[in-house]
Amino acid sequence: MSHITNRQHLKNMLEDLKKEDFHKFCHQLLDRRDEPRVRRNRVEGKGFLDITDVLVSTFTESGAVDVAVEILRQIGCNDDADRLVKDTCGQSSKPVSGSTASPSGGNKMETDKHFVDKHKVQLIKRVSNIGPILDELFDHDVVQQECYDKIRALATSQEKIRELYCGPLKAAGVKGKDVFYKLLEEHESYLIDDLKKNN
């Protein structure tokens, strides 16, 4: 496994952005509505090293990846977002600093590990009604068009769920997983009840 840290991957990504895209990234970072917010004086006129420090200090290394991927997709830098997800595989998608458990309750574990992460293996094996779940994830912007088409083209439900975990759910972070969890409750209620009982 790579020994490069999330901070280094973030730094490399920001350094490789075109000047115009870097400015868009900074502008979008300031426009974020979710807490914690980033102050304008920490971003304006700063270079990629300073922005990397701001991301990590505000959201933690793991949370910063999720925020960066979210912003990259918002400004149309999908290739950069996909590359960052791939480079940080297995290291992102943890709750960002200041986040709290979702009002839905049962989707977060006592250890703060998300329900869909804790039961990943069972969900990959046992979810069968993936079609409508994928459609609604697309409607909620958790899955983007290109990735949606790629997943739909896969042969089995297991392959589709596995690809969902490796790409869109990793990039979407806790909010995306909350949406996924609610859709599982709606479309795979017996499976979710069984997993809760065996928790």
Side-chain angles (χ1 to χ4, degrees):
M1 183 177 286
S2 173
H3 294 293
I4 300 178
T5 65
N6 281 2
R7 179 189 288 269
Q8 289 171 302
H9 284 305
L10 285 165
K11 176 182 71 67
N12 293 339
M13 177 276 295
L14 291 170
E15 185 177 13
D16 290 341
L17 283 180
K18 296 176 184 176
K19 186 174 181 180
E20 180 182 355
D21 289 334
F22 178 74
H23 286 311
K24 287 181 181 177
F25 184 95
C26 293
H27 181 75
Q28 196 68 34
L29 178 61
L30 290 174
D31 277 354
R32 285 186 81 253
R33 295 288 183 263
D34 298 333
E35 295 292 342
R37 304 284 293 275
V38 176
R39 291 183 177 277
R40 186 171 298 277
N41 62 2
R42 298 192 64 196
V43 173
E44 284 189 338
K46 306 294 185 182
F48 68 90
L49 290 173
D50 292 319
I51 300 303
T52 301
D53 289 339
V54 169
L55 286 168
V56 172
S57 64
T58 304
F59 305 107
T60 75
E61 279 201 31
S62 55
V65 172
D66 292 331
V67 171
V69 169
E70 172 191 318
I71 293 174
L72 287 169
R73 296 201 188 286
Q74 288 172 343
I75 64 175
C77 295
N78 291 313
D79 288 343
D80 296 287
D82 292 340
R83 194 177 308 116
L84 183 58
V85 169
K86 182 179 179 182
D87 289 344
T88 58
C89 188
Q91 301 177 56
S92 65
S93 297
K94 297 176 183 176
V96 298
S97 173
S99 67
T100 57
S102 168
S104 59
N107 61 345
K108 297 285 281 299
M109 301 291 96
E110 294 82 357
T111 59
D112 215 30
K113 189 172 184 180
H114 205 287
F115 182 93
V116 300
D117 288 327
K118 182 169 183 178
H119 298 288
K120 177 179 178 180
V121 173
Q122 286 298 315
L123 289 172
I124 289 174
K125 285 181 180 179
R126 299 171 63 184
V127 169
S128 58
N129 197 20
I130 183 59
I133 293 175
L134 188 60
D135 290 341
E136 292 194 50
L137 286 172
F138 177 69
D139 289 340
H140 283 84
D141 292 326
V142 175
V143 177
Q144 304 303 312
Q145 182 69 60
E146 183 179 354
C147 197
Y148 173 84
D149 293 338
K150 179 181 177 182
I151 294 174
R152 293 285 289 184
L154 295 173
T156 67
S157 294
Q158 285 83 3
E159 288 178 304
K160 291 175 182 178
I161 296 288
R162 192 174 291 113
E163 183 63 29
L164 192 61
Y165 269 103
C166 290
L169 287 181
K170 180 178 288 294
V174 175
K175 288 186 176 180
K177 290 175 185 178
D178 285 345
V179 173
F180 182 46
Y181 174 80
K182 289 174 183 176
L183 293 174
L184 286 170
E185 283 191 312
E186 181 180 343
H187 296 284
E188 295 278 358
S189 57
Y190 290 111
L191 171 57
I192 297 304
D193 287 343
D194 185 52
L195 292 176
K196 285 179 180 178
K197 289 175 186 175
N198 295 319
N199 184 32

